[in-house]
Amino acid sequence: MKAFRLDELEGERLANDGAYLQFLRERNMSVGLYALDAGQMDPQTPHAQDEVYVVMSGRASITVGEETTQVGRGSVVYVPAGVTHRFHHVSEPLRVLVVFSPPES
């Protein structure tokens, strides 16, 4: 079993001075913690993998393709591989679990 604590992952992400921390990589998936501060721009480009976002805290909008929705704690968003997407209008610090399948390359 592999078990993780979000507070420890957040500390590791901060120590590595990055917005994204991959903390699990297996044959069929990878999982990471993504963070954007209020007002910060999301520099993402489309990925070659399907992904699922689980918002742990914060508030923002997300646009996937041509659709936009508001997200906050408890929101789950699926993004198909190759589709343009980004968070924007981040009004509260955003912390998101990201699941890639297959693993992010």
Side-chain angles (χ1 to χ4, degrees):
M1 174 173 65
K2 296 178 183 178
F4 304 91
R5 290 180 45 102
L6 286 175
D7 57 343
E8 293 172 358
L9 294 171
E10 178 67 4
E12 186 177 343
R13 186 195 62 77
L14 287 169
N16 288 314
D17 200 30
Y20 183 71
L21 171 71
Q22 183 183 88
F23 61 89
L24 179 66
R25 184 177 183 85
E26 297 295 334
R27 185 171 56 90
N28 293 318
M29 61 179 265
S30 61
V31 183
L33 179 64
Y34 188 53
L36 292 170
D37 289 329
Q40 189 174 0
M41 296 297 295
D42 182 3
Q44 291 192 80
T45 56
H47 305 286
Q49 305 82 8
D50 287 342
E51 58 188 312
V52 172
Y53 291 116
V54 181
V55 178
M56 304 308 294
S57 64
R59 291 190 153 307
S61 295
I62 186 171
T63 299
V64 178
E66 299 295 321
E67 296 180 78
T68 299
T69 191
Q70 302 290 315
V71 294
R73 182 179 174 189
S75 296
V76 179
V77 178
Y78 167 69
V79 179
V83 175
T84 301
H85 61 284
R86 70 180 180 92
F87 290 98
H88 51 94
H89 297 99
V90 181
S91 59
E92 296 175 13
L94 194 63
R95 300 300 179 265
V96 181
L97 284 179
V98 184
V99 179
F100 287 99
S101 181
E104 182 183 29
S105 53

XYZ file of all heavy atoms in Angstrom:
816
model
N 0.848 -1.181 0.000
C 0.000 0.000 0.000
C 0.886 1.234 0.000
O 1.936 1.256 0.636
C -0.896 0.014 1.240
C -1.682 1.303 1.340
S -2.935 1.397 2.627
C -1.987 1.317 4.095
N 0.405 2.255 -0.671
C 1.045 3.570 -0.643
C 0.001 4.542 -0.127
O -1.116 4.580 -0.646
C 1.524 3.968 -2.025
C 2.602 3.044 -2.555
C 3.022 3.421 -3.947
C 4.048 2.425 -4.444
N 4.469 2.693 -5.796
N 0.349 5.294 0.885
C -0.582 6.261 1.475
C 0.113 7.614 1.559
O 1.319 7.696 1.793
C -1.028 5.797 2.857
N -0.657 8.678 1.373
C -0.097 10.022 1.326
C -0.959 10.972 2.157
O -2.164 10.755 2.294
C -0.058 10.522 -0.119
C 0.689 9.607 -1.043
C 0.021 8.604 -1.732
C 2.048 9.730 -1.212
C 0.705 7.748 -2.583
C 2.742 8.869 -2.060
C 2.070 7.890 -2.744
N -0.336 12.021 2.663
C -1.047 13.089 3.383
C -0.912 14.367 2.569
O 0.210 14.733 2.181
C -0.457 13.282 4.765
C -0.730 12.132 5.719
C -0.102 12.416 7.074
N -0.358 13.783 7.521
C -1.280 14.118 8.424
N -2.014 13.181 8.989
N -1.457 15.372 8.771
N -2.034 15.023 2.316
C -2.004 16.227 1.492
C -1.113 17.308 2.073
O -0.415 18.000 1.325
C -3.425 16.758 1.277
C -4.264 15.953 0.294
C -5.687 16.494 0.251
C -3.652 15.970 -1.088
N -1.100 17.471 3.394
C -0.262 18.512 3.983
C 1.220 18.224 3.737
O 2.009 19.138 3.458
C -0.566 18.712 5.464
C -0.415 17.454 6.301
O -0.393 16.336 5.748
O -0.326 17.590 7.541
N 1.625 16.971 3.796
C 3.017 16.613 3.515
C 3.349 16.803 2.035
O 4.440 17.262 1.681
C 3.287 15.179 3.947
C 3.230 14.996 5.450
C 3.312 13.537 5.886
O 3.373 12.635 5.010
O 3.305 13.303 7.105
N 2.420 16.450 1.165
C 2.635 16.648 -0.267
C 2.760 18.128 -0.589
O 3.606 18.526 -1.404
C 1.496 16.025 -1.071
C 1.376 14.508 -1.003
C 0.086 14.054 -1.670
C 2.586 13.837 -1.629
N 1.934 18.946 0.035
C 2.006 20.394 -0.185
C 3.363 20.921 0.263
O 3.979 21.749 -0.417
C 0.869 21.100 0.550
C 0.867 22.606 0.427
C 0.580 23.143 -0.975
O 0.294 22.370 -1.902
O 0.664 24.369 -1.142
N 3.862 20.446 1.390
C 5.176 20.849 1.863
C 6.276 20.456 0.890
O 7.200 21.230 0.625
N 6.191 19.253 0.354
C 7.179 18.787 -0.622
C 7.100 19.607 -1.907
O 8.121 19.964 -2.497
C 6.953 17.308 -0.914
C 8.020 16.702 -1.804
C 7.834 15.210 -2.029
O 7.090 14.554 -1.272
O 8.443 14.693 -2.993
N 5.874 19.905 -2.344
C 5.702 20.728 -3.549
C 6.346 22.092 -3.351
O 7.092 22.579 -4.199
C 4.215 20.884 -3.889
C 3.968 21.615 -5.214
C 2.526 22.063 -5.346
N 2.125 23.005 -4.335
C 2.440 24.302 -4.336
N 3.188 24.818 -5.300
N 2.015 25.099 -3.378
N 6.110 22.708 -2.207
C 6.697 24.023 -1.915
C 8.216 23.948 -1.847
O 8.914 24.834 -2.342
C 6.132 24.573 -0.602
C 4.694 25.071 -0.659
C 4.158 25.335 0.738
C 4.602 26.317 -1.528
N 8.744 22.900 -1.231
C 10.193 22.741 -1.103
C 10.861 22.599 -2.464
O 12.017 23.001 -2.640
C 10.509 21.538 -0.219
N 10.131 22.028 -3.431
C 10.669 21.858 -4.777
C 10.362 23.049 -5.670
O 10.662 23.033 -6.863
C 10.132 20.566 -5.399
C 10.744 19.351 -4.760
O 11.951 19.295 -4.568
N 9.917 18.386 -4.399
N 9.713 24.075 -5.099
C 9.471 25.345 -5.781
C 8.778 25.176 -7.132
O 9.199 25.735 -8.134
C 10.791 26.095 -5.961
C 10.574 27.580 -6.203
O 9.580 28.128 -5.707
O 11.414 28.179 -6.903
N 7.717 24.374 -7.146
C 6.995 24.169 -8.396
C 5.501 24.145 -8.176
O 5.023 23.939 -7.066
N 4.756 24.353 -9.254
C 3.302 24.319 -9.171
C 2.769 22.894 -9.177
O 1.651 22.655 -8.735
C 2.690 25.098 -10.333
N 3.575 21.927 -9.665
C 3.108 20.549 -9.798
C 4.105 19.592 -9.160
O 5.317 19.701 -9.364
C 2.926 20.185 -11.279
C 2.382 18.799 -11.490
C 1.063 18.495 -11.186
C 3.188 17.781 -11.983
C 0.560 17.206 -11.366
C 2.694 16.497 -12.177
C 1.377 16.230 -11.858
O 0.887 14.957 -12.040
N 3.573 18.638 -8.415
C 4.379 17.589 -7.792
C 3.753 16.243 -8.117
O 2.634 15.957 -7.679
C 4.421 17.763 -6.271
C 5.058 16.606 -5.498
C 6.568 16.573 -5.727
C 4.726 16.706 -4.016
N 4.435 15.442 -8.921
C 3.970 14.078 -9.160
C 4.429 13.237 -7.967
O 5.615 13.209 -7.647
C 4.557 13.512 -10.443
C 4.042 12.116 -10.757
C 4.679 11.542 -12.000
O 5.724 10.917 -11.932
N 4.045 11.789 -13.140
N 3.479 12.559 -7.303
C 3.861 11.783 -6.127
C 3.558 10.292 -6.258
O 3.929 9.511 -5.379
C 3.219 12.344 -4.849
C 1.716 12.348 -4.842
C 1.006 11.247 -4.376
C 1.015 13.458 -5.280
C -0.372 11.249 -4.359
C -0.372 13.468 -5.265
C -1.067 12.365 -4.798
N 2.930 9.887 -7.339
C 2.664 8.476 -7.562
C 2.717 8.204 -9.064
O 2.120 8.932 -9.852
C 1.288 8.087 -7.011
C 0.859 6.632 -7.195
C 1.755 5.701 -6.391
C -0.594 6.450 -6.782
N 3.455 7.154 -9.418
C 3.526 6.743 -10.819
C 3.465 5.226 -10.859
O 4.308 4.549 -10.284
C 4.809 7.242 -11.460
C 4.884 6.935 -12.939
C 6.151 7.507 -13.551
N 6.165 7.268 -14.968
C 5.597 8.030 -15.897
N 4.965 9.118 -15.539
N 5.660 7.714 -17.167
N 2.464 4.706 -11.549
C 2.272 3.274 -11.702
C 2.127 2.962 -13.188
O 2.124 3.861 -14.028
C 1.030 2.817 -10.924
C 1.137 3.024 -9.419
C 2.208 2.187 -8.752
O 2.553 1.109 -9.295
O 2.718 2.608 -7.703
N 1.965 1.703 -13.497
C 1.909 1.267 -14.897
C 0.795 1.951 -15.688
O 0.991 2.330 -16.846
C 1.721 -0.255 -14.939
C 1.767 -0.850 -16.329
C 1.790 -2.370 -16.283
N 0.679 -2.933 -15.542
C -0.495 -3.260 -16.074
N -0.704 -3.086 -17.362
N -1.452 -3.772 -15.334
N -0.379 2.122 -15.093
C -1.542 2.633 -15.827
C -1.975 4.036 -15.451
O -2.960 4.538 -16.005
C -2.732 1.689 -15.630
C -2.495 0.352 -16.285
O -1.987 0.289 -17.404
N -2.828 -0.720 -15.590
N -1.267 4.668 -14.504
C -1.695 6.005 -14.081
C -0.578 6.705 -13.329
O 0.373 6.079 -12.869
C -2.915 5.925 -13.170
C -2.655 5.139 -11.892
S -4.062 5.071 -10.798
C -3.667 6.422 -9.748
N -0.714 8.014 -13.217
C 0.142 8.798 -12.333
C -0.756 9.812 -11.635
O -1.833 10.162 -12.129
C 1.276 9.483 -13.094
O 0.778 10.385 -14.052
N -0.309 10.271 -10.453
C -1.092 11.210 -9.657
C -0.170 12.309 -9.157
O 0.974 12.050 -8.761
C -1.763 10.516 -8.447
C -2.645 11.499 -7.673
C -2.569 9.311 -8.889
N -0.674 13.528 -9.188
C 0.111 14.657 -8.716
C -0.746 15.687 -8.026
O -1.980 15.612 -8.037
N -0.080 16.648 -7.412
C -0.724 17.787 -6.758
C -0.366 19.032 -7.548
O 0.814 19.298 -7.805
C -0.240 17.907 -5.310
C -0.802 19.060 -4.508
C -2.316 18.918 -4.332
C -0.109 19.146 -3.145
N -1.394 19.786 -7.966
C -1.218 21.000 -8.759
C -1.722 22.171 -7.938
O -2.767 22.070 -7.288
C -1.991 20.874 -10.075
C -1.746 21.981 -11.056
C -0.462 22.333 -11.446
C -2.805 22.669 -11.623
C -0.235 23.332 -12.368
C -2.598 23.667 -12.562
C -1.306 24.007 -12.923
O -1.087 24.997 -13.840
N -0.988 23.273 -7.975
C -1.358 24.435 -7.171
C -1.252 25.712 -7.986
O -0.291 25.915 -8.727
C -0.447 24.530 -5.950
N -2.252 26.553 -7.839
C -2.228 27.898 -8.400
C -2.688 28.859 -7.311
O -3.686 28.596 -6.630
C -3.168 28.014 -9.601
C -2.790 27.243 -10.860
C -3.936 27.267 -11.863
C -1.527 27.816 -11.481
N -1.975 29.966 -7.151
C -2.382 30.970 -6.179
C -3.428 31.892 -6.795
O -3.567 31.960 -8.021
C -1.165 31.780 -5.712
C -0.239 30.952 -4.836
O -0.737 30.046 -4.130
O 0.977 31.208 -4.864
N -4.152 32.606 -5.950
C -5.170 33.540 -6.427
C -4.545 34.505 -7.428
O -3.456 35.039 -7.198
C -5.778 34.303 -5.254
N -5.214 34.657 -8.565
C -4.757 35.560 -9.600
C -3.688 34.998 -10.523
O -3.353 35.604 -11.528
N -3.164 33.838 -10.217
C -2.094 33.242 -11.019
C -2.637 32.679 -12.326
O -3.745 32.156 -12.385
C -1.401 32.141 -10.215
C -0.150 31.604 -10.851
C 0.580 30.609 -9.941
O 0.136 30.326 -8.837
N 1.675 30.086 -10.430
N -1.828 32.762 -13.383
C -2.200 32.212 -14.680
C -1.813 30.731 -14.740
O -0.795 30.320 -14.192
C -1.469 32.973 -15.799
C -1.855 34.445 -15.895
S -3.586 34.705 -16.316
C -3.622 34.011 -17.947
N -2.609 29.950 -15.425
C -2.365 28.519 -15.617
C -1.680 28.331 -16.972
O -2.289 28.558 -18.009
C -3.697 27.774 -15.573
C -3.564 26.271 -15.716
O -2.425 25.768 -15.791
O -4.600 25.598 -15.738
N -0.408 27.881 -16.977
C 0.322 27.772 -18.242
C 0.150 26.440 -18.969
O 0.892 26.156 -19.911
C 1.780 27.933 -17.780
C 1.790 27.288 -16.429
C 0.443 27.639 -15.818
N -0.801 25.616 -18.571
C -0.932 24.272 -19.151
C -1.161 24.284 -20.656
O -1.782 25.188 -21.196
C -2.112 23.535 -18.510
C -1.898 23.161 -17.082
C -2.961 22.200 -16.658
O -2.872 21.019 -16.950
N -3.965 22.703 -15.967
N -0.666 23.229 -21.270
C -0.973 22.935 -22.667
C -1.619 21.554 -22.683
O -1.523 20.816 -21.695
C 0.308 22.938 -23.526
O 1.232 22.001 -22.976
C 0.943 24.326 -23.543
N -2.291 21.177 -23.766
C -2.943 19.863 -23.802
C -1.958 18.730 -23.533
O -0.786 18.801 -23.910
C -3.503 19.781 -25.225
C -3.700 21.205 -25.623
C -2.549 21.949 -24.984
N -2.461 17.683 -22.879
C -1.664 16.510 -22.546
C -2.045 15.352 -23.457
O -3.147 15.301 -23.985
C -1.901 16.101 -21.088
C -1.659 17.210 -20.122
N -0.404 17.653 -19.788
C -2.519 17.977 -19.423
C -0.493 18.643 -18.926
N -1.772 18.865 -18.689
N -1.130 14.397 -23.577
C -1.384 13.213 -24.402
C -2.172 12.153 -23.649
O -2.499 11.115 -24.206
C -0.053 12.625 -24.877
N -2.490 12.411 -22.384
C -3.206 11.451 -21.535
C -4.564 12.024 -21.128
O -4.730 13.245 -21.025
C -2.413 11.177 -20.244
C -1.007 10.707 -20.449
C -0.023 11.842 -20.715
O -0.342 13.013 -20.609
N 1.180 11.475 -21.076
N -5.519 11.132 -20.852
C -6.745 11.555 -20.190
C -6.361 11.997 -18.781
O -5.393 11.488 -18.199
C -7.735 10.393 -20.069
C -8.377 10.015 -21.391
O -8.351 10.825 -22.338
O -8.922 8.900 -21.469
N -7.122 12.933 -18.228
C -6.846 13.338 -16.857
C -8.125 13.670 -16.115
O -9.138 14.030 -16.710
C -5.850 14.491 -16.780
C -6.234 15.737 -17.510
C -5.115 16.757 -17.540
O -4.504 17.057 -16.491
O -4.843 17.275 -18.620
N -8.048 13.508 -14.805
C -9.151 13.858 -13.916
C -8.590 14.807 -12.873
O -7.539 14.548 -12.274
C -9.744 12.602 -13.228
C -10.764 12.996 -12.169
C -10.375 11.684 -14.260
N -9.299 15.921 -12.664
C -8.961 16.885 -11.618
C -9.945 16.711 -10.464
O -11.156 16.664 -10.692
C -9.100 18.322 -12.123
C -8.083 18.733 -13.153
C -8.483 19.067 -14.441
C -6.737 18.816 -12.832
C -7.565 19.470 -15.387
C -5.814 19.214 -13.773
C -6.231 19.550 -15.045
O -5.320 19.943 -15.988
N -9.417 16.656 -9.249
C -10.232 16.656 -8.043
C -9.807 17.885 -7.239
O -8.669 17.935 -6.746
C -10.053 15.376 -7.201
C -10.935 15.422 -5.963
C -10.354 14.138 -8.035
N -10.684 18.868 -7.126
C -10.342 20.103 -6.422
C -10.427 19.855 -4.923
O -11.486 19.511 -4.397
C -11.271 21.265 -6.847
C -10.931 22.529 -6.074
C -11.177 21.497 -8.358
N -9.284 20.036 -4.258
C -9.202 19.830 -2.808
C -9.529 21.115 -2.047
O -10.097 21.068 -0.962
C -7.802 19.345 -2.425
C -7.373 18.080 -3.178
S -8.550 16.722 -3.091
C -8.465 16.337 -1.371
N -9.152 22.257 -2.625
C -9.458 23.553 -2.001
C -9.313 24.652 -3.039
O -8.668 24.466 -4.074
C -8.533 23.817 -0.804
O -7.191 23.927 -1.221
N -9.919 25.791 -2.756
C -9.827 26.947 -3.624
C -11.034 27.120 -4.522
O -11.993 26.331 -4.477
N -10.968 28.173 -5.333
C -12.042 28.485 -6.272
C -11.431 29.035 -7.550
O -10.492 29.820 -7.510
C -12.990 29.527 -5.693
C -13.823 29.055 -4.537
C -14.888 30.104 -4.234
N -16.078 29.608 -3.622
C -16.866 28.622 -4.013
N -16.580 27.958 -5.078
N -17.939 28.281 -3.359
N -12.020 28.623 -8.678
C -11.550 29.092 -9.983
C -12.589 28.722 -11.032
O -13.594 28.073 -10.737
C -10.210 28.451 -10.328
N -12.315 29.135 -12.241
C -13.045 28.644 -13.407
C -12.101 27.728 -14.160
O -10.879 27.873 -14.076
C -13.454 29.801 -14.316
O -14.366 30.653 -13.674
N -12.682 26.786 -14.898
C -11.886 25.950 -15.792
C -12.593 25.904 -17.131
O -13.824 25.801 -17.191
C -11.644 24.528 -15.234
C -10.673 23.748 -16.138
C -12.944 23.788 -15.023
C -10.193 22.426 -15.581
N -11.801 26.030 -18.178
C -12.317 25.884 -19.537
C -11.691 24.638 -20.133
O -10.466 24.476 -20.099
C -11.988 27.118 -20.389
O -12.622 28.265 -19.794
C -12.488 26.953 -21.816
N -12.542 23.751 -20.633
C -12.114 22.517 -21.297
C -12.747 22.556 -22.678
O -13.976 22.527 -22.799
C -12.563 21.262 -20.511
C -12.159 20.005 -21.253
C -11.996 21.278 -19.101
N -11.907 22.657 -23.701
C -12.446 22.839 -25.047
C -13.190 24.160 -25.115
O -12.631 25.211 -24.827
N -14.482 24.098 -25.420
C -15.312 25.299 -25.513
C -16.199 25.515 -24.293
O -16.975 26.472 -24.246
C -16.198 25.217 -26.768
C -15.421 25.127 -28.071
C -14.611 26.379 -28.350
O -15.108 27.494 -28.080
O -13.464 26.237 -28.825
N -16.108 24.613 -23.298
C -16.980 24.682 -22.124
C -16.240 25.247 -20.916
O -15.099 24.890 -20.663
C -17.498 23.299 -21.764
C -18.380 22.678 -22.828
C -18.852 21.311 -22.400
O -19.793 21.244 -21.584
O -18.260 20.326 -22.871
N -16.932 26.107 -20.162
C -16.371 26.707 -18.951
C -17.307 26.447 -17.789
O -18.528 26.517 -17.932
C -16.180 28.226 -19.125
O -15.261 28.444 -20.203
C -15.638 28.881 -17.863
N -16.725 26.142 -16.627
C -17.508 25.958 -15.411
C -16.719 26.470 -14.220
O -15.495 26.607 -14.287
C -17.911 24.476 -15.214
O -18.877 24.383 -14.177
C -16.714 23.606 -14.879
N -17.425 26.762 -13.141
C -16.804 27.152 -11.884
C -16.466 25.891 -11.105
O -17.246 24.928 -11.125
C -17.776 28.003 -11.056
C -18.256 29.259 -11.750
C -17.146 30.282 -11.881
O -16.408 30.521 -10.937
N -17.024 30.863 -13.063
N -15.314 25.892 -10.421
C -14.932 24.757 -9.591
C -14.539 25.241 -8.202
O -14.105 26.374 -8.027
C -13.771 23.941 -10.216
C -14.216 23.275 -11.501
C -12.532 24.790 -10.429
N -14.739 24.363 -7.240
C -14.354 24.608 -5.857
C -14.167 23.263 -5.185
O -14.269 22.199 -5.826
N -13.912 23.299 -3.897
C -13.669 22.066 -3.157
C -14.738 21.014 -3.474
O -15.937 21.285 -3.425
C -13.677 22.370 -1.669
C -13.391 21.166 -0.830
C -13.376 21.510 0.616
N -13.229 20.282 1.385
C -13.342 20.218 2.674
N -13.617 21.294 3.376
N -13.192 19.073 3.288
N -14.281 19.819 -3.835
C -15.184 18.724 -4.148
C -15.531 18.592 -5.622
O -16.134 17.598 -6.022
N -15.132 19.559 -6.444
C -15.399 19.460 -7.882
C -14.487 18.415 -8.515
O -13.324 18.281 -8.140
C -15.143 20.805 -8.574
O -16.028 21.794 -8.115
N -15.036 17.682 -9.478
C -14.278 16.686 -10.233
C -14.496 16.988 -11.714
O -15.641 17.108 -12.156
C -14.739 15.251 -9.906
C -13.959 14.236 -10.727
C -14.609 14.972 -8.411
N -13.392 17.109 -12.460
C -13.474 17.457 -13.877
C -12.656 16.459 -14.682
O -11.493 16.196 -14.359
C -12.931 18.886 -14.132
C -12.979 19.222 -15.614
C -13.707 19.916 -13.314
N -13.248 15.914 -15.735
C -12.557 15.018 -16.656
C -12.122 15.813 -17.880
O -12.910 16.575 -18.454
C -13.485 13.879 -17.080
C -12.956 13.092 -18.254
C -11.830 12.284 -18.129
C -13.576 13.172 -19.501
C -11.326 11.567 -19.213
C -13.091 12.461 -20.585
C -11.969 11.668 -20.436
O -11.474 10.964 -21.505
N -10.857 15.625 -18.294
C -10.325 16.277 -19.487
C -9.787 15.192 -20.423
O -8.826 14.497 -20.079
C -9.190 17.266 -19.134
C -8.644 17.919 -20.397
C -9.669 18.313 -18.141
N -10.393 15.022 -21.599
C -9.898 14.022 -22.543
C -8.509 14.396 -23.075
O -8.164 15.578 -23.167
C -10.920 14.057 -23.683
C -12.114 14.757 -23.138
C -11.616 15.684 -22.085
N -7.743 13.402 -23.425
C -6.410 13.618 -23.988
C -6.486 14.551 -25.194
O -7.407 14.460 -26.011
C -5.803 12.279 -24.397
N -5.524 15.459 -25.275
C -5.401 16.340 -26.431
C -6.297 17.561 -26.438
O -6.186 18.391 -27.342
N -7.178 17.710 -25.456
C -8.119 18.834 -25.437
C -7.498 20.019 -24.692
O -6.951 19.864 -23.594
C -9.460 18.425 -24.791
C -10.384 19.620 -24.659
C -10.125 17.329 -25.612
N -7.594 21.198 -25.290
C -7.107 22.415 -24.649
C -7.904 22.668 -23.380
O -9.137 22.557 -23.376
C -7.256 23.614 -25.608
O -6.512 23.341 -26.792
C -6.765 24.898 -24.971
N -7.191 23.026 -22.300
C -7.856 23.295 -21.026
C -6.965 24.171 -20.156
O -5.744 24.178 -20.317
C -8.176 21.983 -20.297
C -6.970 21.176 -19.966
N -6.296 20.444 -20.926
C -6.298 20.989 -18.809
C -5.276 19.830 -20.364
N -5.233 20.153 -19.077
N -7.603 24.921 -19.257
C -6.840 25.716 -18.301
C -7.762 26.237 -17.211
O -8.965 26.445 -17.424
C -6.105 26.861 -18.971
C -7.017 27.966 -19.493
C -6.204 29.075 -20.137
N -7.094 30.110 -20.613
C -7.458 31.178 -19.908
N -7.009 31.352 -18.700
N -8.287 32.062 -20.422
N -7.168 26.434 -16.043
C -7.853 27.115 -14.958
C -7.658 28.617 -15.161
O -6.624 29.054 -15.677
C -7.259 26.715 -13.601
C -7.560 25.291 -13.211
C -6.624 24.294 -13.421
C -8.777 24.964 -12.631
C -6.895 22.979 -13.060
C -9.062 23.653 -12.273
C -8.114 22.665 -12.482
N -8.630 29.406 -14.748
C -8.514 30.864 -14.845
C -9.430 31.489 -13.796
O -10.212 30.800 -13.143
C -8.832 31.360 -16.259
C -10.132 30.855 -16.810
N -11.311 31.554 -16.716
C -10.426 29.701 -17.452
C -12.277 30.854 -17.287
N -11.772 29.716 -17.749
N -9.296 32.793 -13.630
C -10.057 33.512 -12.604
C -9.942 32.789 -11.255
O -10.949 32.503 -10.606
C -11.517 33.702 -13.017
C -11.663 34.546 -14.244
N -11.852 33.986 -15.487
C -11.595 35.875 -14.423
C -11.919 34.960 -16.383
N -11.764 36.118 -15.772
N -8.714 32.482 -10.879
C -8.449 31.815 -9.601
C -8.661 32.847 -8.497
O -7.876 33.779 -8.351
C -7.017 31.228 -9.552
C -6.777 30.528 -8.222
C -6.787 30.279 -10.720
N -9.754 32.696 -7.742
C -10.096 33.687 -6.718
C -9.636 33.288 -5.321
O -9.537 34.134 -4.437
C -11.605 33.954 -6.715
O -12.319 32.754 -6.456
N -9.372 31.998 -5.111
C -8.830 31.487 -3.848
C -7.752 30.477 -4.212
O -7.893 29.756 -5.207
C -9.909 30.797 -3.020
C -11.027 31.703 -2.561
C -12.135 30.938 -1.844
O -11.933 29.749 -1.492
O -13.204 31.522 -1.663
N -6.663 30.395 -3.425
C -5.589 29.452 -3.746
C -6.139 28.058 -4.066
O -6.883 27.480 -3.278
C -4.726 29.449 -2.483
C -4.964 30.796 -1.872
C -6.408 31.100 -2.159
N -5.769 27.552 -5.228
C -6.319 26.311 -5.771
C -5.345 25.164 -5.542
O -4.158 25.272 -5.879
C -6.563 26.505 -7.267
C -7.420 25.512 -8.005
C -8.845 25.512 -7.469
C -7.416 25.836 -9.495
N -5.833 24.063 -4.971
C -5.050 22.847 -4.789
C -5.858 21.703 -5.391
O -7.005 21.462 -4.995
C -4.754 22.562 -3.312
C -3.960 23.672 -2.610
C -2.598 23.887 -3.276
N -1.821 24.938 -2.648
C -1.772 26.207 -3.041
N -2.518 26.614 -4.065
N -0.993 27.071 -2.429
N -5.240 21.028 -6.369
C -5.958 20.048 -7.182
C -5.159 18.753 -7.273
O -3.961 18.790 -7.575
C -6.180 20.605 -8.614
C -6.951 19.620 -9.476
C -6.890 21.950 -8.568
N -5.814 17.622 -7.013
C -5.219 16.323 -7.319
C -5.447 16.058 -8.800
O -6.551 16.267 -9.314
C -5.876 15.213 -6.506
C -5.486 15.102 -5.048
C -6.260 13.960 -4.387
C -3.996 14.880 -4.898
N -4.406 15.593 -9.475
C -4.476 15.330 -10.904
C -4.140 13.861 -11.143
O -3.084 13.396 -10.720
C -3.486 16.217 -11.681
C -3.653 16.001 -13.182
C -3.655 17.682 -11.326
N -5.044 13.152 -11.806
C -4.825 11.753 -12.146
C -4.693 11.655 -13.658
O -5.595 12.072 -14.386
C -5.987 10.860 -11.657
C -5.742 9.406 -12.033
C -6.198 11.017 -10.159
N -3.548 11.140 -14.112
C -3.308 10.921 -15.538
C -3.396 9.435 -15.844
O -2.863 8.608 -15.080
C -1.895 11.379 -15.942
C -1.702 12.853 -15.997
C -1.106 13.527 -14.953
C -2.082 13.580 -17.120
C -0.888 14.894 -15.003
C -1.878 14.940 -17.191
C -1.275 15.607 -16.127
N -4.019 9.095 -16.975
C -4.045 7.718 -17.423
C -3.946 7.705 -18.944
O -4.770 8.330 -19.612
C -5.329 7.022 -16.986
O -5.327 5.680 -17.420
N -2.944 7.037 -19.486
C -1.817 6.397 -18.817
C -0.957 7.428 -18.120
O -1.255 8.629 -18.194
C -1.082 5.707 -19.963
C -1.426 6.505 -21.183
C -2.830 7.012 -20.948
N 0.121 7.015 -17.436
C 0.942 7.969 -16.691
C 1.419 9.115 -17.568
O 1.686 8.928 -18.761
C 2.118 7.145 -16.205
C 1.669 5.738 -16.257
C 0.665 5.661 -17.361
N 1.553 10.277 -16.956
C 2.082 11.441 -17.669
C 3.497 11.129 -18.132
O 4.294 10.565 -17.403
C 2.089 12.653 -16.741
C 2.565 13.905 -17.396
C 2.634 15.064 -16.449
O 2.848 14.857 -15.237
O 2.484 16.187 -16.918
N 3.788 11.493 -19.370
C 5.129 11.218 -19.900
C 6.014 12.440 -19.825
O 5.601 13.504 -19.548
C 5.036 10.729 -21.332
O 4.283 11.605 -22.127
